[in-house]
Amino acid sequence: MNSKYYLTEVDKNPQSIFCYHNLMGEKFIETHSHDKGQFIYVEGGVVHIKTNTRMYYLPARHYMWIPSGVRHSIYPSSPKVVMRNLYFPVSSISSVFYSKEGIYPINNLLMEMLLFTKTWNGDILKSQKNKHLIVSSFKVLLEQTVSKSLHLELPHPTDNRLINITNYLKDEIHQEHLLPQLASKFSMTDKSLYRLFKKDVGMSFIKYYTQLRIFKSLEYLMNSDYNISEIAHMVGYSSLPTFSNTFSNVMGKRPSEYRKSNEIYLDA
């Protein structure tokens, strides 16, 4: 789908709710924004959503709310990923929920309503009373059924030294990296590197590095035939129990539970 869709079709009718389902096989969706707020739900993998300040990791069976006007690009981790999108007009009196970026697990009620709309594409107008009632109710339920937003994002570093260091961590994710050795490699002291992480990205090295490893493991869990022990080693863990416990602490579920989310309900 080219940029014309994202820049013109969604917002062509400011009052409509715009539906677009089954974006499958996409490799990259360029940076863009909408006048409408965007609901994006993912099946079958992980989608990276990059804003000006953060990289979000949106896993299967979760959705993200992207407020009106937020510039973002989208990187599916696999051609197998399915994305379901609903774009809503957002009035100035909308609640705080619709003004903040957030990632949330989907519940059964929202899932059933979303699947009910899976054959709808394009504008849903108020004159289409039955359809409009369903998608309008869907928007209201987002706020009323929402749980706490999951922190599945990493901030973009701005300091060139930290940009190089975090790129190195991503490239060498299969190895375990300790702060002293990492600092030495980049000609820094332990304390200066620790302070740089806290100052530039607002979190400690260990928190940033742990989340980076766990978020990367999501891609392997969703899109590969590697077993969980192999995946643990692929993100630098020598101990499977340590990986599993860390994953559970970050994600709230065991790796095996997340792997079950790889089914795609195209025909549900």
Side-chain angles (χ1 to χ4, degrees), residues 175-225:
Q175 297 182 6
E176 184 174 17
H177 302 281
L178 302 176
L179 182 65
Q181 288 82 356
L182 189 65
S184 176
K185 180 176 180 61
F186 286 89
S187 304
M188 299 177 71
T189 65
D190 299 10
K191 287 185 178 179
S192 61
L193 182 55
Y194 179 85
R195 286 195 296 264
L196 183 58
F197 266 93
K198 292 289 284 187
K199 179 181 177 181
D200 195 34
V201 295
M203 61 176 66
S204 67
F205 161 73
I206 191 65
K207 183 175 181 180
Y208 184 96
Y209 180 44
T210 298
Q211 292 188 178
L212 179 67
R213 297 162 91 183
I214 297 303
F215 295 163
K216 184 62 181 179
S217 74
L218 288 174
E219 297 178 33
Y220 295 135
L221 284 165
M222 294 293 101
N223 300 314
S224 76
D225 295 324

Side-chain angles (χ1 to χ4, degrees), residues 42-182:
V42 172
E43 296 177 1
V46 177
V47 168
H48 302 150
I49 298 177
K50 183 178 181 180
T51 67
N52 289 337
T53 59
R54 284 172 166 71
M55 176 70 83
Y56 290 90
Y57 296 78
L58 178 57
R61 292 294 184 276
H62 289 71
Y63 69 87
M64 182 172 179
W65 177 262
I66 305 174
S68 166
V70 172
R71 292 186 61 77
H72 59 283
S73 52
I74 299 175
Y75 305 76
S77 63
S78 161
K80 296 178 181 178
V81 170
V82 174
M83 292 178 279
R84 303 182 186 276
N85 299 270
L86 295 171
Y87 302 85
F88 297 92
V90 180
S91 71
S92 59
I93 59 172
S94 292
S95 74
V96 172
F97 170 81
Y98 301 105
S99 66
K100 293 183 177 180
E101 300 158 21
I103 291 178
Y104 311 92
I106 199 164
N107 60 44
N108 291 336
L109 176 59
L110 289 173
M111 189 71 215
E112 289 299 322
M113 292 181 72
L114 184 63
L115 288 171
F116 191 79
T117 73
K118 68 187 176 69
T119 60
W120 303 354
N121 280 309
D123 291 314
I124 304 298
L125 306 173
K126 288 185 178 179
S127 58
Q128 299 168 280
K129 292 183 179 180
N130 291 338
K131 286 186 176 182
H132 197 273
L133 178 61
I134 290 170
V135 286
S136 296
S137 300
F138 184 89
K139 181 191 171 188
V140 172
L141 285 168
L142 287 180
E143 177 189 11
Q144 294 190 359
T145 63
V146 73
S147 56
K148 188 176 180 180
S149 176
L150 302 175
H151 293 291
L152 301 180
E153 78 269 4
L154 286 172
H156 299 313
T158 58
D159 187 291
N160 286 331
R161 294 170 297 172
L162 199 56
I163 290 172
N164 290 334
I165 291 168
T166 54
N167 284 340
Y168 172 77
L169 292 174
K170 293 171 188 174
D171 292 341
E172 302 295 328
I173 197 75
H174 58 285
Q175 297 182 6
E176 184 174 17
H177 302 281
L178 302 176
L179 182 65
Q181 288 82 356
L182 189 65

